[in-house]
Every structure is written in structure tokens, then in C-alpha cells.
Amino acid sequence: MNFFGSLRVAATRRGGTSAQRALSNASTARVTGAQRPTERVFAERRAAYSTVVDYFPPKAARPRWVDTDAEVAQENNSVRLDGGTEDPAGSSPASAPPSSSSSSGGSSSDGSDPPNTPPPDAPPTPQTSISRQSVPEVYPQVLALPIARRPLFPGFYKAVVIRNPQVVAAVKEMMKRGQPYLGAFLLKDEQADSDVITDINSVHSVGVFAQITSVFAANSPTGKDEDKEEGLTAVLYPHRRIKITDLVKAGGSQVSTANVESVVEPPVSSPESSEATLPTPPSTPPPSEESLAEEQVAKLHPTPLQTSFLQDHDVSIVNIDNLVTQPYNKDDQYIRAFMSEIVSVFKDIAQLNPLFRDQITNFSINQVASNVFDEPDKLADFAAAVSTGEVGELQDVLESLVVEDRLRKALLVLKKELINAQLQSKLSRDVDSKIAKRQREYYLMEQLKGIKKELGMESDGKDKLIEKLKERAASLNMPEQVKKVFDEEINKLMHLEPAASEANVTRNYLDWLTQIPWGQHSPENYSIAHATQVLNEDHYGLKDVKDRILEFLAVGKLRGTVEGKIICLAGPPGVGKTSIGKSIARALNRQFFRFSVGGLTDVAEIKGHRRTYVGALPGKIIQALKRVGTENPLVLIDEVDKVGRGINGDPASALLEMLDPEQNTAFLDHYMDVPVDLSRVLFVCTANNLDTIPAPLLDRMEVIEVSGYVSEEKSKIAQQFLGPQAKEASGLKDADVELDLAAIDALIKYYARESGVRNLKKHIDKIYRKASLKIVQELGEEAFPEAQALSDHPTDAQGHAKTVESQDAPANEHANPQTSIPETGATNAASSEKTVTTEKRQPLKVPDSVHIKITPDNLKDYVGPPIYHKDRMYVRPPPAGVSTGLGYLGNGSGAVMPIEATTMPGKGGLQLTGKLGEVIRESAQIALSWTKAHAYQLGITENENDMILNDRDIHVHMPEGSIGKEGPSAGTALLSAFVSLFTKTQINPDIAMTGEISLVGQVLPVGGLKEKILAAHRAGIKTILAPAANRADIEENVPESVKVGIRFVYVEDVREVLQEVFRGAPITERWKDTLPS
């Protein structure tokens, strides 16, 4: 091939120069006598050639050239392996020893010297009388050496390190006897390393018959004291493929490593002498008289005599058969096609990998045949030998005896090598291009800066930054202390290099320092009429809350400021606490900033980080001032009752300084480290539960209770606010879709009983969404065409068409293959990119012919079945032992809660069920104790000294067991249930009660009366017993519309409760004497 021929010529030209250096070095060695010529040639040839598997023996491992008549070498105790000598001219190809420890040093200036010829001035080697012998074709029994990591291929040198002492001794004896042949077989386990075979199944059966061309110490740094060396490096030259037929002897006394190394295959020196000096497979050393005798005995002995001495060593011995490549026709079109493709791949790899190029060059030089197509089997072996493929694939190539199959497998391995080389080349080019681009940009930017600076068009970046910071600071009304810090930091920045880390920290600090709005504030509006208008526009009801806010503004109007006031809006979820804060900011014409402290566990979020930390930032309040640009914003702190505490401190305690009017005039942030005046900031906090707010923090705030809405208020809010918002958000702003007032009432009564309106808003949104879906489905795509909403030619902000890479979700793996649509090539190409645009989609108008009205009759079609089916459990008079209480749920709504009590034989115990809390359990114990203490007065016992319930257990249950119940307000209802149970008197279900009781029978006030009364009103309760202490609260805060139809009875003692609950019952006649009220 022209490709291999060009590489051969190029390498030969390089060899001439190397040969001249080798001869010069050899001359020096002759004068000094300190170095061998072959060693010097090795060192020089290293720069000129790279063989298939590069290997260079250490400096101490010199070739062992000795007289063939001597059995033991005089120098380094080594045996000569070539079996003959060379004449000084070295012109005969047969006289060139192929030993791996000798390599051609290139031709001389006239190109006449062979590669292995000693320097001209070296003493000639004496001739021997024994003629050269070839490698034995039949060698039935050999020492088996397992090889790790990759197999060996015929015709390519390899070096192995042997550390097993028995194997090392056997190899040395083989060398001395002139029988340096062994079998090399690849280990199946890639992680295993051994010099002996203990199991025939541990190695691949197909290996190579190899000749040991040279040996030297593996660990000795100087090559001396070989008797003490721990290992041996043997250079192997594989000759042919073999197969194990039987494991004659298994080694295994020691397990040690056998590593494969590479050796230098001697290349040719020049084009003129290339054919004469090509290294041929190493020949067998001339046998001694002893070996000749052994050959004669081997004819009669069943065990080959040439390996009988190995029985004295603990090594692995195997019987082998030669594997012969099956006959082939080199002119076969498939073989020639495979070879052409392999050569083409070689050419591609050589362009990408310089090391590969040297290996191919060396192979082309050593190729005996003039045309590479004449030896396809060697080309396949070479392709596998030089590749870094997987071990299994390389072994498959070795085991292939059919040339066509071997070429196919070698081509597969080589193709993978090409892919790896292409990927490496691509990565290298990408990295180089990026680095070159950055360097070019850097140089150009530096030149541009220098040009602009020389022309006075632009000052230095640091000078420009300092000038910008000074201008920004001049526009602010900084306090003197802050100005002093600013000047110090500016001076520090002027003397720092821009690349210094301290310069970046200082620049960030100055940036924050000049972005705080020192002295800047927005004009405030304290108009009561304006504030009233804004509050009424944003909220319906909440009269008491609005009055408190107007009082707050009136004081500010007269004082000229609202400094020193921190408001806390407390109430259940969804009542509008956050929106009230926004309305206050709009009424006052102040900037608004909101942040939540729910779950906050890091003090640095409030007080900021120290500047010593990487990525340090000021606290939330400093960030708020920077964001709003004024020093008098309204800052809403949400969820102040849910502040956490962790390893980074207690944020609730950090809020004390920020929310204390006496301290926040000089608030000190850790990052800013200068006092910041927060007295002009109006803080508004929100909370659901005041009990979880720390007492010192709660003491600094003015609490405004935001209770829930009654049904009438919810209905108005839905009509005026929630309905229009949901209708517009659903795309039905101009459509004839009406939510009937009766449907809203049904929605409030059966779906959204919470005190807030958040859940009601969700249901109204759902109704309008369902209406939108119904309209689109009934009218179809004809009424709402997609083409009308989308642009014909979508463009970006600059009017250009733009696409991005498609990032579609992966297909469902469990999709039905019968129903899936096959994708064509056009579909794949079209879906590889997505068109993007900045144009807004146009809304589609609902036709005027659409008329939808949501009424209580079809409400179920939009929001599903009702959540609340009935308001109270007992409509008819319940059995004795059942009373009706009023409770306050966690979602801010009230509920009518029946209490059931029963008795059974037992030991006088009390059992409570219904997910009751600790406080309500204590109320049950108090009620039972009071009942037992007054059993005679209540008519339960006939005698005052009689004992009750000694043999009876009492079970109290509060239905809806999944709902947690807690609080003392069920005390009067529990007491009434016990008295009803023991006196066997029924209680009217239209009577409900609430109130805490004491052990002596007093009725104490409770909370949540507005929500409780609203629940009683919804359930049709006609009489409510409430503590007398709550009378003012009920008369002032409960709307009259809720109290209509309900009779309120205010009590101070449980006796009054019993008289009212059991009014008209026969038992009350006795109570007139025993239980005077």
C-alpha cells in the first residue's frame, strides 16, 4: 500500500540520522570502554522509532552476547540466544539476530551496516562450528506462563515480569540449556495475577508459543547480584498459536504477579538495506552435546526429554497442539475488502494519534512482504496488538483461525480505537479553541484599554468605580459616622489591586453602603377619608379592624409621624391579614416590602452575616431598604408566630432589637457594622396564634384581632371581590356566566365554613374554570381556532425567528406498542428544535350566544358533592347522657359538637375518646368530680353518705374522632351530660352551651364566641348558654344578623346551667330545695 510505503520511507530517513549518532556514541564507548554499543544504540533509537509495543530495558539490563560454545555467559551469567555470529560486514539477512535486547541503530552514512552489527571498531565475535537452527515446529510440552491484562500475538515482542522463585529458576535453567520456549496463555480473570496455573479453566485454552529472547533482573537497579534478585523480566517473542490439550503439572506453591511490558522491535536502517536487515523471528540457539543426547532419548521416552528438567521445579507444564491458520486465498474479494478497510482505518488513526503513527511506521518497515495484502493474517494480528480494546475482543482475534473472521474481529477492535481517537481529538480541539479564544479576547481587551487610556477616552476601571461610588454617596444624606466609614473604605479601595480578594469585599461593602436610602423618604398621606376609601375598596366588613387602623392614622396625622408603633394582625388563616397590610401601605402612600419568618432558624437572616464570610450579605431589613429605596417603607413580617430556633441562634430574639422602638433608632447589622435608623419604618406583623409568640416580642407589638367573617360578609366578599376576580382570571370577563347568590350561600354553607375566605375563593375559581371547560368542549375548536390566537410568523423581541433545542419528556416506557405512532425521519428532524417567541398569545372572545348560570341545583356539577352534610347530629331529642357544646376549630371556624356519656359495670373508671386534648380531659374530670360531690343534692343518691360509681365505669365520647379537640370551653356541656346520664333526663337538642367550669362550680369566660355563635346560628340552635363574663364581647362583636332567632342565657354558676338546661323536667322540683341558684 502507498500509505505503508510512505511511512516506511519516512522512518528509514529518520533512521539514518539516528545511525550516525549511534556510531558516534559507539566510538566514544570504544575509547572509554565503559558502555556497550548496543545499549547506546537503544538510547539513540528511542527518539527515532516507536515499535508496536514500546519497551526499553533498564540501563542495567544489557544484551548478553557470549560465545555459543560456552554454556554459561562470562558476563551477567546470560546465554546467547541467536545461535550464531555475525560477520563484521553484517550483510546477510540470516545473520541478523532478532533478540529484543539488540536493535538496529540505523544505517551509517553509506547505509551498508545492519542494525545489530557492533561498531566497526569493536572486536569481532568468533565464529562457531554449529549451524543455526530454526524454531522447532513440534514442541508438545512446554512451561505454561499465565499472562494478565491482554493476550500476546505472534510476531510482536512482549516483556513479562516473573516473581515466582520457582518459575524464575526454571526460566534460567531453560536459558542455560538452550531451550527458551514456553507457552503464554491469558488469564480469564482480569484482576488475577499469577505465574503458575493451578486450574486449567483459569486461563484461555488458546495462547502463543513464545521464545525467550533475553532476561534481566526485574528489581535490581544495577543489574548486578542476580542471585539475590527477587524477580526476572523476560522478553518474549511469540511464534505461533497453540492450544492447551492437557495440564500435565499444576504449579501453585507461590502466587505472584506476571506483568506484561513492551519491548523495542528493531526497525530497519535505510531503504537500500531494509530487506537485508529486517528482524526475523529469533532462532533457536545451537544445542549443546547434552541437548543432542536428550533428543535421541526423547524418541523412546513418553515425556519429552527437552522439558523433563522442569519436573524439578514447581511450575505449570502443559501439553499443547499447534493451531494453524486455515488456508485462504489472498485475492478473495472479502479478504481484500477487509484489509483495505483496516489500512484505511490505520490511516485515519495515524492522522490523529502520533504514537499510533510510529507503530504503523515500524510495522511497515518490518513487513517482509513487499505488499501488505500478501499477509492478511499478520495485518490482523498487528491491528489487534496495537489497539487498546477489551481483553475479550483481543482474545477472540487470537483464537480466530479463519483469516476472514480474524480480519473482521480485528477491524471491529480497530474501529473502536478510531472512535476513541476521534473523541480525544475533538476534546483537544475544543479545549484549544476555547483557550485560544479567551487569550485572544484578553489581549485585545488589554490593548483596547491601553488605547483608550492613552487617548483619554476612558479612565481606569478602578478609578471609574471610585468616582461612581463618590457620586452616589454625595446624593445621600449620610450621618457623620457613616460618612467616616465610607471615606475609610474608599481610601482602602484606592490602594488595593483590583485582582485582590480584599478589593472585591471592599467594593461590595461600599456598594451596599451607598445603596441604603440615607435620608430619603416618600411623602406620607394621613388623610382619614383617603384611608377609609382604600380600606373599603380592598376589604368588606372587619369594622373593628378598620377603626383601629383609622385611629392609628389619626394619631399619626396629629403627631406628624407614626414612629414607635408596631402592629400585629392576629387571626385565623384566610381572613386577609396580609392584604390589610398592603392596604395600609397604599393608604399611607408608602413603599411595601414583605418577607416571611416562618420556619426561620438563622439569626443572620435578620442581623446579616459577618463580612469575613465568603458570600456574606446584610439582613432582610437592610435588603428591604435597598429594594424600596426609601427609609420609611411599610415592612410586613409574615408568620411571626412560627419563627424557629436552631444551631444558628434564635431569630425571635434578634427581632427584639429590630421591633423595639427604643432600640431600632440605631439598628446594627453585622454586615454593615454602622447604625441604621429604622424608627421611620412601619412594621406590621401577622400571626395565627399569639400563644407561640415569645412574651418579650409580643409585648413590643400592638395586637389587632382579625376574627373570621360571618356568612353575610362572606357572601358580599364573594359577590364584590372573589367572583369578578375569578371570572376574569378564567377568561370569562365579557361572557354571560353568572354565579347565583343562592349558589354562593350554598357554597358557604356546605363547602366553605372556614372563618376566612381562602377556601371559598378556591371553590369559586373552580366553578369558573369548569365553566370555561364546558364552553370550549361544547362549542369545539371551530369556535376557538388556535390559528386566531397564535401569530403566523412568531418572532423574538427583535423581530427575528428563533428556535431552541427540543427538550421533550421521554416517552412512556409502558406505552402500548400497538397504539403508538411510529416516528418518521421527517418527524424527528422537525421535533429536534422548538420555535420560541416573545409575542403574547391573543385571548379568544366567548360568543354572545353562550349563557351559563350556576344555581344550587347544578352547583354539584361544578364543585362536587357537599363536604358538610348536616350542621348537628341530633335533630330529635337524644337519649339521656347527650348534651350539645360549641367548639372552635383549628381552621378558624366554629362547630356544634355533641357530647355523649354512658355507664357500664366496672370499677369506677373514666374513659375519654374522640381525640381529646389534655385540657379537655381535665375538664371532664372536674365535671365528674363536681357531679359526685353533689350526687345527693342532684337526686342521684337517696342518702347524702351513699357512694356512687364504685362498681360502674363511665365512657365519654365526642364524635368526629378524626378532628382534634382541645380547650376548657366544654366544661358546662360535660357537666350537663353527666347529670343527664345519672338522673336519666333528656336534654333539649336546641340548647347549646359553652363555658369553662371550676371545681366549685363557677362558669369562667372563653374565646372564639363569634365563630361558635355563627355555627349555632347555622345549625338552628335556639338557646345558647354562655359565661356572663363574655356578655359584652357577644353584644359588641357578634353581628346582629347572626344573633337573630337565638336566645342568650348568661350564667355564672353551674347551678344556673342545670336549671336552664333541665327547665320543665320533674327533677328540677327537687333542685329548688337542694340546689338553690
Side-chain angles (χ1 to χ4, degrees):
M1 294 296 290
N2 293 335
F3 169 63
F4 281 96
S6 62
L7 290 176
R8 179 181 300 180
V9 172
T12 307
R13 291 174 180 174
R14 293 199 304 267
T17 305
S18 300
Q20 294 175 5
R21 292 194 299 267
L23 292 176
S24 176
N25 293 334
S27 177
T28 305
R30 181 187 61 203
V31 176
T32 59
Q35 286 185 326
R36 294 172 179 267
T38 308
E39 178 187 1
R40 179 73 67 174
V41 171
F42 263 116
E44 295 298 331
R45 291 301 302 272
R46 185 173 186 175
Y49 294 108
S50 174
T51 184
V52 174
V53 277
D54 295 336
Y55 167 75
F56 301 98
K59 200 168 186 180
R62 298 171 178 172
R64 304 171 185 186
W65 301 103
V66 297
D67 189 287
T68 55
D69 294 332
E71 181 175 340
V72 180
Q74 298 178 0
E75 197 170 329
N76 293 334
N77 296 327
S78 177
V79 178
R80 179 169 178 166
L81 305 178
D82 54 4
T85 59
E86 304 172 10
D87 56 51
S91 60
S92 174
S95 65
S99 173
S100 64
S101 58
S102 64
S103 84
S104 77
S107 63
S108 60
S109 59
D110 57 357
S112 61
D113 290 338
N116 286 355
T117 304
D121 297 333
T125 305
Q127 298 284 345
T128 62
S129 60
I130 303 177
S131 62
R132 177 187 305 275
Q133 291 186 355
S134 61
V135 178
E137 293 295 335
V138 178
Y139 208 87
Q141 195 175 92
V142 294
L143 181 148
L145 183 65
I147 302 298
R149 298 178 183 86
R150 59 182 292 123
L152 276 62
F153 289 90
F156 302 100
Y157 284 96
K158 286 287 183 181
V160 296
V161 178
I162 305 172
R163 302 197 183 278
N164 190 312
Q166 294 292 332
V167 180
V168 170
V171 169
K172 289 182 178 181
E173 187 169 354
M174 291 167 58
M175 300 291 290
K176 292 178 182 179
R177 290 175 177 268
Q179 299 171 6
Y181 303 108
L182 53 80
F185 303 93
L186 178 66
L187 287 165
K188 292 182 179 180
D189 186 0
E190 297 182 10
Q191 305 299 326
D193 281 323
S194 176
D195 289 343
V196 294
I197 300 175
T198 57
D199 183 8
I200 195 172
N201 295 322
S202 64
V203 296
H204 292 275
S205 60
V206 177
V208 293
F209 180 78
Q211 176 182 345
I212 306 173
T213 60
S214 63
V215 294
F216 48 86
N219 294 334
S220 177
T222 61
K224 299 179 180 180
D225 300 332
E226 291 185 0
D227 295 338
K228 299 181 181 179
E229 63 188 13
E230 298 180 2
L232 198 68
T233 298
V235 180
L236 306 181
Y237 181 84
H239 287 283
R240 60 179 176 266
R241 289 170 169 80
I242 59 175
K243 184 176 182 179
I244 298 177
T245 60
D246 184 25
L247 180 60
V248 178
K249 178 183 178 183
S253 61
Q254 295 184 11
V255 179
S256 58
T257 57
N259 299 325
V260 177
E261 297 182 359
S262 54
V263 306
V264 175
E265 184 177 346
V268 77
S269 59
S270 65
E272 294 79 359
S273 61
S274 61
E275 295 298 330
T277 59
L278 282 174
T280 60
S283 57
T284 308
S288 61
E289 295 179 358
E290 180 182 356
S291 62
L292 291 176
E294 291 176 352
E295 291 179 0
Q296 298 175 357
V297 177
K299 298 179 180 179
L300 302 176
H301 201 280
T303 301
L305 187 61
Q306 67 268 27
T307 58
S308 60
F309 67 92
L310 295 177
Q311 300 293 335
D312 299 334
H313 302 278
D314 189 9
V315 297
S316 304
I317 304 175
V318 296
N319 289 335
I320 60 172
D321 286 340
N322 291 338
L323 297 179
V324 181
T325 302
Q326 296 184 8
Y328 61 91
N329 182 9
K330 64 180 181 180
D331 296 327
D332 182 83
Q333 60 177 350
Y334 291 103
I335 293 179
R336 295 186 68 85
F338 278 126
M339 296 183 68
S340 298
E341 182 63 21
I342 289 177
V343 172
S344 176
V345 175
F346 270 135
K347 183 177 180 180
D348 294 338
I349 299 178
Q351 294 176 354
L352 300 173
N353 191 339
L355 178 61
F356 229 88
R357 187 183 308 124
D358 293 339
Q359 293 172 343
I360 297 172
T361 303
N362 197 46
F363 174 72
S364 65
I365 294 173
N366 296 335
Q367 185 68 26
V368 177
S370 59
N371 192 345
V372 71
F373 285 98
D374 294 339
E375 296 177 330
D377 53 342
K378 290 186 178 181
L379 180 64
D381 289 343
F382 170 68
V386 299
S387 66
T388 57
E390 297 182 1
V391 177
E393 296 176 346
L394 299 179
Q395 181 65 25
D396 288 343
V397 176
L398 181 66
E399 294 178 1
S400 299
L401 300 180
V402 180
V403 172
E404 182 178 343
D405 185 42
R406 189 186 302 175
L407 287 170
R408 181 185 295 106
K409 294 179 179 179
L411 179 60
L412 176 63
V413 173
L414 208 57
K415 282 285 188 180
K416 293 183 178 180
E417 191 76 23
L418 176 60
I419 293 174
N420 292 336
Q422 290 173 344
L423 180 59
Q424 293 175 2
S425 177
K426 179 180 181 300
L427 294 176
S428 178
R429 289 196 307 269
D430 292 345
V431 173
D432 291 343
S433 62
K434 290 181 180 179
I435 294 176
K437 181 180 179 182
R438 291 177 182 175
Q439 289 179 342
R440 181 173 178 273
E441 291 176 352
Y442 174 76
Y443 290 138
L444 290 177
M445 289 300 297
E446 290 297 322
Q447 292 177 1
L448 181 62
K449 289 180 181 179
I451 293 172
K452 287 186 176 182
K453 192 172 183 179
E454 291 295 331
L455 295 176
M457 298 172 59
E458 184 178 336
S459 59
D460 186 71
K462 185 173 71 172
D463 297 337
K464 187 176 181 180
L465 174 63
I466 292 175
E467 182 180 354
K468 177 182 177 181
L469 292 173
K470 288 183 177 181
E471 290 178 358
R472 192 187 296 173
S475 63
L476 301 174
N477 186 16
M478 288 185 176
E480 290 298 327
Q481 184 176 356
V482 178
K483 286 183 178 180
K484 182 179 179 181
V485 173
F486 175 79
D487 294 338
E488 292 175 355
E489 294 295 327
I490 280 289
N491 292 333
K492 182 196 297 184
L493 182 63
M494 293 173 63
H495 295 87
L496 289 174
E497 289 295 329
S501 59
E502 183 67 20
N504 188 41
V505 174
T506 305
R507 182 179 61 82
N508 290 338
Y509 176 71
L510 288 172
D511 190 46
W512 278 100
L513 197 64
T514 54
Q515 289 192 7
I516 295 179
W518 304 101
Q520 295 181 175
H521 60 275
S522 58
E524 296 176 315
N525 184 1
Y526 290 111
S527 172
I528 302 298
H530 174 68
T532 303
Q533 179 183 355
V534 170
L535 293 174
N536 289 334
E537 287 176 356
D538 296 344
H539 297 86
Y540 179 84
L542 301 178
K543 183 177 181 304
D544 52 345
V545 178
K546 293 178 180 178
D547 290 343
R548 289 288 301 273
I549 294 173
L550 293 178
E551 294 170 3
F552 177 77
L553 297 180
V555 174
K557 186 178 183 68
L558 297 178
R559 289 185 55 205
T561 180
V562 291
E563 294 179 7
K565 302 295 181 181
I566 288 84
I567 301 175
C568 179
L569 302 175
V575 296
K577 298 184 295 296
T578 303
S579 60
I580 291 174
K582 295 180 181 178
S583 299
I584 296 174
R586 191 158 72 92
L588 291 175
N589 192 32
R590 287 195 177 202
Q591 295 280 70
F592 178 80
F593 184 86
R594 172 194 170 274
F595 71 93
S596 176
V597 294
L600 195 67
T601 59
D602 192 355
V603 175
E605 293 291 332
I606 306 297
K607 298 277 290 181
H609 301 82
R610 304 284 182 186
R611 269 184 288 165
T612 53
Y613 298 124
V614 176
L617 286 174
K620 284 290 186 182
I621 186 61
I622 302 298
Q623 296 179 33
L625 295 179
K626 175 187 175 182
R627 181 78 60 82
V628 300
T630 61
E631 66 177 3
N632 64 335
L634 187 145
V635 176
L636 180 70
I637 305 177
D638 247 340
E639 312 296 347
V640 75
D641 58 327
K642 301 177 182 63
V643 180
R645 175 183 296 182
I647 59 174
N648 295 321
D650 182 13
S653 300
L655 286 173
L656 294 176
E657 179 184 359
M658 189 172 71
L659 299 181
D660 191 349
E662 302 298 329
Q663 301 181 39
N664 61 11
T665 54
F667 177 74
L668 194 64
D669 184 89
H670 290 162
Y671 182 86
M672 303 307 301
D673 206 24
V674 292
V676 180
D677 187 8
L678 302 180
S679 60
R680 304 192 66 176
V681 178
L682 178 58
F683 291 100
V684 178
C685 305
T686 66
N688 299 124
N689 186 10
L690 297 178
D691 297 337
T692 58
I693 301 177
L697 183 59
L698 185 63
D699 183 62
R700 287 164 168 78
M701 298 184 290
E702 293 187 16
V703 179
I704 298 179
E705 292 281 352
V706 184
S707 58
Y709 299 98
V710 297
S711 299
E712 289 77 7
E713 293 174 336
K714 284 186 176 182
S715 180
K716 292 290 185 182
I717 293 173
Q719 293 179 56
Q720 299 180 11
F721 301 99
L722 303 182
Q725 292 174 5
K727 187 176 180 180
E728 183 177 356
S730 301
L732 303 174
K733 182 178 181 181
D734 299 326
D736 186 12
V737 180
E738 180 183 355
L739 180 59
D740 191 53
L741 181 60
I744 295 177
D745 293 338
L747 200 63
I748 296 171
K749 185 175 183 180
Y750 297 109
Y751 294 89
R753 290 184 177 180
E754 296 82 5
S755 57
V757 295
R758 185 172 293 148
N759 194 33
L760 177 62
K761 181 179 184 300
K762 293 178 182 178
H763 283 82
I764 294 176
D765 291 342
K766 186 176 182 180
I767 289 173
Y768 283 105
R769 288 198 305 269
K770 286 279 188 179
S772 299
L773 177 61
K774 186 176 180 181
I775 293 172
V776 174
Q777 287 180 339
E778 290 182 355
L779 298 181
E781 294 294 332
E782 294 79 7
F784 304 100
E786 279 294 303
Q788 185 177 347
L790 299 176
S791 175
D792 296 335
H793 304 285
T795 59
D796 58 7
Q798 298 179 350
H800 304 300
K802 186 177 181 181
T803 59
V804 296
E805 183 180 355
S806 177
Q807 298 291 338
D808 293 333
N812 190 356
E813 296 180 358
H814 304 287
N816 188 353
Q818 298 179 356
T819 60
S820 60
I821 301 175
E823 294 185 358
T824 63
T827 305
N828 291 332
S831 61
S832 62
E833 292 186 350
K834 295 283 187 181
T835 303
V836 295
T837 180
T838 57
E839 300 177 2
K840 292 184 178 181
R841 180 186 176 92
Q842 298 298 322
L844 300 179
K845 186 178 184 302
V846 179
D848 297 334
S849 59
V850 174
H851 305 285
I852 295 179
K853 186 174 184 179
I854 296 94
T855 62
D857 297 333
N858 61 359
L859 183 63
K860 183 179 179 180
D861 299 336
Y862 292 89
V863 291
I867 299 175
Y868 305 101
H869 299 279
K870 56 183 181 180
D871 295 299
R872 58 182 182 177
M873 185 177 297
Y874 297 100
V875 180
R876 297 179 181 178
V882 178
S883 64
T884 303
L886 297 175
Y888 180 81
L889 302 181
N891 60 4
S893 63
V896 176
M897 305 175 64
I899 297 175
E900 302 173 343
T902 187
T903 181
M904 66 205 76
K907 298 181 180 180
L910 175 63
Q911 184 177 359
L912 302 170
T913 57
K915 201 176 182 181
L916 308 182
E918 187 65 28
V919 176
I920 202 169
R921 288 175 175 270
E922 294 175 355
S923 298
Q925 292 285 356
I926 293 173
L928 182 59
S929 298
W930 190 92
T931 304
K932 287 182 178 181
H934 298 81
Y936 174 72
Q937 291 87 344
L938 294 172
I940 301 173
T941 60
E942 298 295 335
N943 193 329
E944 188 173 358
N945 296 325
D946 290 346
M947 303 293 293
I948 65 169
L949 302 179
N950 288 335
D951 56 351
R952 307 287 294 179
D953 285 346
I954 299 177
H955 186 175
V956 177
H957 176 67
M958 300 180 69
E960 298 188 37
S962 63
I963 300 176
K965 307 167 187 69
E966 181 62 299
S969 61
T972 55
L974 286 167
L975 180 62
S976 301
F978 287 147
V979 174
S980 172
L981 176 65
F982 296 143
T983 59
K984 298 180 176 56
T985 306
Q986 294 179 332
I987 299 177
N988 190 345
D990 292 333
I991 300 177
M993 61 202 78
T994 181
E996 179 184 359
I997 62 172
S998 67
L999 198 56
V1000 297
Q1002 290 186 346
V1003 180
L1004 306 178
V1006 293
L1009 285 171
K1010 181 179 180 180
E1011 289 77 13
K1012 294 177 181 178
I1013 295 172
L1014 179 60
H1017 174 77
R1018 190 170 52 240
I1021 299 295
K1022 296 180 173 55
T1023 303
I1024 295 179
L1025 277 67
N1030 290 114
R1031 182 168 190 163
D1033 186 17
I1034 294 174
E1035 291 178 351
E1036 182 176 352
N1037 296 327
V1038 178
E1040 292 296 330
S1041 59
V1042 176
K1043 294 186 289 186
V1044 172
I1046 299 178
R1047 184 173 67 93
F1048 290 91
V1049 178
Y1050 301 101
V1051 294
E1052 294 181 349
D1053 192 271
V1054 294
R1055 296 170 179 83
E1056 301 177 17
V1057 174
L1058 296 178
Q1059 291 288 350
E1060 182 63 34
V1061 169
F1062 297 98
R1063 181 187 298 273
I1067 192 67
T1068 57
E1069 296 298 329
R1070 178 179 177 177
W1071 291 352
K1072 291 180 181 179
D1073 299 330
T1074 58
L1075 287 177
S1077 54

